[in-house]
Amino acid sequence: MTINDKVLSQVESEKAFWLSDPFERPGVDTLENFHNKAQDSAIFFDLVRGLSTDLPTQSTIVELGGGQGWASCVIKRLNPTAYVVLTDAVDGAIQSRVIWERVFDCTLDGAVATPVQQLPFEDRSVDLLFCYAAAHHFVDHVGALQETKRVMATTGKCLWLYEPSAPQWLQAAAERRVNRKRPDVPEHVLVPKQIASIARSIDLNCTIEYC
């Protein structure tokens, strides 16, 4: 699938962040990063710990926009016989997966630097695709969901978890607020009704839950 200019621009901003951030650039283990990820992993664990009973033991699981891969490592620990692959648009992010493999005492089955709109997986080959607080960075949500549908197994699932969201009338103000807080990488806020509409337009069932 073709990657549009907005996605390419977002990826370039993220590359600059992952390569230069003093707390998260490749090869850096900082207490600040561990502290931030510990908070996120506690939330993530509460959201997904039931998945180990919902998935076949030999499931193929792919994380989208996974950054350093700590969430993939949580999934691997919960589902040790699953085939778990980390993806992120930036190679400088996934290089640090070794930190979290060490922390969670696991080894991921793969890691690929690729935008979600261009996944290197065969049609209907993935049982579960998931992301945690990452889908708002995808920019091209039509392309992201189309590619998700292509690679997702007939009985598969896709989870977009813990995303910043707002109704459409509040979206612009919400995005201004989050970009004042973190101006180094463009931040976005999802409109749930828009995401549901895109999903329905390509024949995906979509359920939205607030937590």
Side-chain angles (χ1 to χ4, degrees), residues 55-56 58-62 124-129 151-158:
L55 292 168
Q58 300 301 319
S59 296
T60 297
I61 302 174
V62 172
R124 299 184 180 182
S125 62
V126 182
D127 300 295
L128 173 68
L129 299 103
V151 304
M152 189 167 57
T154 305
T155 58
K157 297 179 181 179
C158 176

Side-chain angles (χ1 to χ4, degrees), residues 37-111:
K37 299 299 188 292
Q39 294 180 82
D40 280 332
S41 64
I43 297 167
F44 180 73
F45 182 74
D46 283 341
L47 291 172
V48 304
R49 57 183 169 180
L51 288 177
S52 58
T53 59
D54 294 336
L55 292 168
T57 56
Q58 300 301 319
S59 296
T60 297
I61 302 174
V62 172
E63 181 177 9
L64 307 172
Q68 296 182 341
W70 62 267
S72 287
C73 291
V74 171
I75 289 290
K76 186 64 176 178
R77 280 296 301 268
L78 289 171
N79 303 268
T81 60
Y83 187 84
V84 181
V85 179
L86 163 67
T87 72
D88 191 271
V90 180
D91 183 65
I94 65 175
Q95 286 180 28
S96 296
R97 68 188 181 278
V98 293
I99 297 171
W100 304 105
E101 289 174 327
R102 185 172 69 246
V103 169
F104 290 103
D105 190 23
C106 68
T107 301
L108 299 179
D109 299 288

Side-chain angles (χ1 to χ4, degrees), residues 23-208:
F23 304 119
E24 300 193 62
R25 66 179 185 269
V28 171
D29 291 7
T30 64
L31 288 175
E32 289 85 355
N33 191 26
F34 281 108
H35 176 70
N36 290 335
K37 299 299 188 292
Q39 294 180 82
D40 280 332
S41 64
I43 297 167
F44 180 73
F45 182 74
D46 283 341
L47 291 172
V48 304
R49 57 183 169 180
L51 288 177
S52 58
T53 59
D54 294 336
L55 292 168
T57 56
Q58 300 301 319
S59 296
T60 297
I61 302 174
V62 172
E63 181 177 9
L64 307 172
Q68 296 182 341
W70 62 267
S72 287
C73 291
V74 171
I75 289 290
K76 186 64 176 178
R77 280 296 301 268
L78 289 171
N79 303 268
T81 60
Y83 187 84
V84 181
V85 179
L86 163 67
T87 72
D88 191 271
V90 180
D91 183 65
I94 65 175
Q95 286 180 28
S96 296
R97 68 188 181 278
V98 293
I99 297 171
W100 304 105
E101 289 174 327
R102 185 172 69 246
V103 169
F104 290 103
D105 190 23
C106 68
T107 301
L108 299 179
D109 299 288
V112 184
T114 185
V116 65
Q117 295 85 4
Q118 205 168 60
L119 297 173
F121 307 111
E122 295 182 1
D123 294 359
R124 299 184 180 182
S125 62
V126 182
D127 300 295
L128 173 68
L129 299 103
F130 78 94
C131 58
Y132 176 88
H136 62 289
H137 285 297
F138 293 167
V139 183
D140 175 15
H141 297 109
V142 174
L145 287 172
Q146 287 175 335
E147 187 71 341
T148 294
K149 181 183 178 182
R150 180 186 69 79
V151 304
M152 189 167 57
T154 305
T155 58
K157 297 179 181 179
C158 176
L159 303 175
W160 288 10
L161 302 167
Y162 213 65
E163 296 294 337
S165 66
Q168 188 167 7
W169 64 270
L170 192 57
Q171 183 188 29
E175 290 194 347
R176 286 195 297 271
R177 177 177 179 272
V178 296
N179 279 287
R180 282 197 301 270
K181 293 175 67 176
R182 184 190 175 189
D184 47 349
V185 176
E187 291 286 346
H188 309 282
V189 174
L190 299 183
V191 176
K193 286 186 177 180
Q194 290 180 350
I195 300 303
S197 177
I198 294 169
R200 287 193 297 267
S201 73
I202 58 174
D203 296 322
L204 284 175
N205 294 323
C206 179
T207 300
I208 296 172

Side-chain angles (χ1 to χ4, degrees), residues 10-32:
Q10 180 77 25
V11 170
E12 288 304 311
S13 296
E14 293 178 8
K15 282 182 179 178
F17 167 80
W18 285 111
L19 291 175
S20 63
D21 185 80
F23 304 119
E24 300 193 62
R25 66 179 185 269
V28 171
D29 291 7
T30 64
L31 288 175
E32 289 85 355

